[in-house]
Amino acid sequence: MPSLLTSRLFWISASAAVLAGLLPFWLSAYLLGVLTASYYFGVFAMSWDLLFGFAGEVNLGPTFLIGLGAYSAAILNNEYHFSILLCLIAAAATALAGGVLLAVPALRLRGPYFGLVTLVAVLLLQNAIVIFAKFTGGEIGMTVFDVLSIDAITNYYYALGFLIVSGLVLTRLANSAFGLILQAS
């Protein structure tokens, strides 16, 4: 703990988090919406950095998992009117199951073949979205009835919290023994 408090990166990160937490007092709802989307893209970029930067493997699996979870939650909410909490739990479970199903064959491959298998998974999901347009809305997309919040400030804080927690988890993972294994492979 003492080394953490003397770390320059820690204090820069903590200052940036506090500043980001104060932004809703000065910014418009539009700019908060832009920042909210950018925070979610930031989480995606951090996961990509862990996969490609540390492991050296081109992996499009997170795109597949995000889409699988998002569509499963949206379909449950739109078609079956499940509560938002149950939809989020089902989205996580669906993404986990999809990740296991994708990982079993994909982890036997290396190099460009690994990347191609994960790309094919994304393309299959995209085609399934179009084929099952009755449930998914196809290329147009779908409207969901229940959301966590329609308030820009609340959504901003959800995204900021998700970014901070994901950053802490991924930093901890990268600095662990598993992170060293990823760097060595």
Side-chain angles (χ1 to χ4, degrees), residues 94-156:
T94 306
L96 179 65
V100 169
L101 289 174
L102 178 61
V104 169
L107 288 177
R108 299 179 185 269
L109 305 171
R110 290 278 172 236
Y113 302 108
F114 179 78
L116 285 173
V117 166
T118 60
L119 174 62
V120 167
V122 173
L123 295 175
L124 287 173
L125 179 63
Q126 180 185 11
N127 286 331
I129 290 167
V130 173
I131 291 169
F132 298 106
K134 178 183 175 193
F135 296 106
T136 65
E139 294 95 349
I140 297 170
M142 59 192 311
T143 303
V144 293
F145 296 108
D146 198 10
V147 293
L148 290 173
S149 174
I150 58 170
D151 181 45
I153 294 174
T154 304
N155 287 331
Y156 174 81

Side-chain angles (χ1 to χ4, degrees), residues 1 11 25 47 56-57 59 63 65 69 90 95 113 118 120 133 137 154 168 182 185:
M1 185 70 163
W11 288 108
F25 295 112
S47 68
E57 292 288 340
N59 183 357
T63 307
L65 300 176
Y113 302 108
T118 60
V120 167
T154 304
L168 291 171
L182 286 177
S185 61

